[in-house]
Amino acid sequence: MSADHVQRAFIGSFTSAGGRGVTVAAVARDTGALSVLVSTDAVPDPSFLAVGRAPGTDGTVLYAVSETSDGAVAAFGVDDDGTPRLIGEARPVDGSSPTHLALAAGHLLTANYGSGGVTVLPVRDDGSPGPAVGLLVHEGRGPDEGRQSGPHAHQVLADPSGKWVLSVDLGTDSVRVCALDPGTGSLRLHAETALRPGTGPRHLAFHPAGGHLYVLNELEPTVTVCRWDAAEGVLEPLGETQVLPHDHDEGGAGRTYPSEVVVSHDGRFLWTANRGHDSISVLTLDETAEKPVLAAAVGCGGRWPRDLTLDPTGQWLYAANEHSGNVSWFAVDAETGIPVHAGSVEVPAASCVVFA
């Protein structure tokens, strides 16, 4: 098999906690197994990654946030042997502790947890980010004094229509809908949707049909179901569903902090990663997409699953277990959606998995 046809996974990690930075792994298509190829620590604490294409070339570009107090973003080209190489220079995001990034309309956007806002940087022809051209500062707070004394943007992504950008803020218990100007990179607030106070929304995922999305809450182990009107840019919360079994002991072994939500390609299942409970929850979705039902919770194959990712085929689910320092993979049962543990690989302080 030629290098161009080798499927690769890219794994982010916290170098400040002993991680190797960005790790590249080969993916065995028949078993889902990962084999580590190479790593680079060229950027400190590359906690979240995104894959794109350079506008002026046909090559894969890997983008990484540097989740530091200064806050930066960097781009990597990927050589035939899998080695990542910096393209251009790491760029400041004019905010602190960026935790997430996404591509939209020729720009790179970061969610800045520490400072509470979203930064917009243009993507150059070689794939590298240019200096920041837009910054939307969030305002507000929530009832949890320890975690919600101010805004904490945790995720930013474009909606399936490409018309809107949504940012999820744990500190303000809300999701902001914004319009991105592709010419200037300015980000304009269109609407802010309030969720239940104290839930601490962290990430969201769209249903493949596009009319619904699911907001995973970190401060309470629930998922909020929302109806999404892409034509008007309107988000309507419909209700919440618990992501942990009713008999779990939230106080005994410490609190649970859900981290990531994933929806199956066919829209039948929803999975969440649960730190503390150290599990992956399986929720079934009916044809309305509005009534998730908790079906099972299985072990994550490690400790503190910070990220959960479905591979492009929809057959394999990957958990980045930060505290145990490994990435586990699971075969997804096509009938029940229940993930079956199939293996793991050592990746210290793992925080994120994406696929080329």
Side-chain angles (χ1 to χ4, degrees):
M1 183 179 291
S2 69
D4 291 340
H5 292 87
V6 174
Q7 185 179 9
R8 296 193 180 99
F10 302 96
I11 305 165
S13 66
F14 288 95
T15 56
S16 59
R20 301 169 184 146
V22 176
T23 294
V24 183
V27 184
R29 298 175 188 271
D30 55 343
T31 66
L34 301 182
S35 302
V36 170
L37 300 174
V38 67
S39 299
T40 176
D41 60 359
V43 174
D45 290 342
S47 64
F48 201 87
L49 312 174
V51 174
R53 293 280 180 179
T57 73
D58 193 33
T60 297
V61 180
L62 180 69
Y63 296 96
V65 294
S66 180
E67 191 176 335
T68 62
S69 57
D70 293 334
V73 67
F76 295 87
V78 181
D79 293 336
D80 287 345
D81 64 357
T83 303
R85 48 178 174 74
L86 274 174
I87 306 174
E89 59 185 300
R91 293 287 186 180
V93 298
D94 297 340
S96 64
S97 301
T99 55
H100 191 269
L101 78 170
L103 293 158
H107 291 80
L108 190 64
L109 297 90
T110 68
N112 309 318
Y113 181 87
S115 51
V118 175
T119 301
V120 184
L121 306 95
V123 175
R124 294 174 163 174
D125 285 346
D126 64 356
S128 66
V133 294
L135 178 64
L136 180 70
V137 178
H138 292 185
E139 297 180 352
R141 59 187 301 163
D144 188 325
E145 290 295 333
R147 296 293 307 278
Q148 297 183 309
S149 60
H152 294 301
H154 215 305
Q155 184 195 36
V156 59
L157 76 169
D159 83 307
S161 75
K163 184 177 180 180
W164 307 101
V165 169
L166 285 75
S167 59
V168 184
D169 197 300
L170 183 149
T172 63
D173 291 316
S174 61
V175 178
R176 289 168 175 80
V177 180
C178 302
L180 175 65
D181 186 322
T184 65
S186 65
L187 200 60
R188 174 181 59 83
L189 180 63
H190 171 73
E192 182 177 358
T193 300
L195 303 183
R196 184 165 61 84
T199 52
R202 177 184 173 97
H203 277 201
L204 64 79
F206 283 91
H207 189 276
H212 295 84
L213 60 81
Y214 310 92
V215 183
L216 184 65
N217 301 307
E218 177 175 330
L219 301 185
E220 292 192 12
T222 61
V223 63
T224 303
V225 181
C226 300
R227 187 176 292 121
W228 171 243
D229 182 344
E232 301 297 328
V234 174
L235 187 66
E236 177 189 0
L238 301 176
E240 292 180 34
T241 299
Q242 291 283 331
V243 300
L244 294 179
H246 290 296
D247 60 356
H248 84 282
D249 184 1
E250 185 70 1
R255 288 182 62 179
T256 295
Y257 300 93
S259 59
E260 185 61 286
V261 56
V262 177
V263 181
S264 63
H265 297 335
D266 61 10
R268 296 170 55 218
F269 305 109
L270 180 152
W271 300 281
T272 71
N274 311 306
R275 296 170 298 175
H277 195 256
D278 291 342
S279 64
I280 299 171
S281 294
V282 185
L283 294 90
T284 59
L285 296 169
D286 64 11
E287 46 288 341
T288 71
E290 296 180 354
K291 300 175 181 178
V293 176
L294 180 62
V298 302
C300 66
R303 290 184 295 109
W304 210 252
R306 189 178 182 89
D307 187 41
L308 195 63
T309 308
L310 193 64
D311 87 312
T313 71
Q315 297 176 296
W316 305 96
L317 196 62
Y318 295 79
N321 299 310
E322 181 183 353
H323 289 180
S324 55
N326 68 305
V327 174
S328 295
W329 55 91
F330 302 78
V332 176
D333 187 293
E335 295 301 319
T336 66
I338 295 176
V340 178
H341 187 258
S344 66
V345 65
E346 179 187 358
V347 183
S351 58
C352 171
V353 181
V354 297
F355 291 89

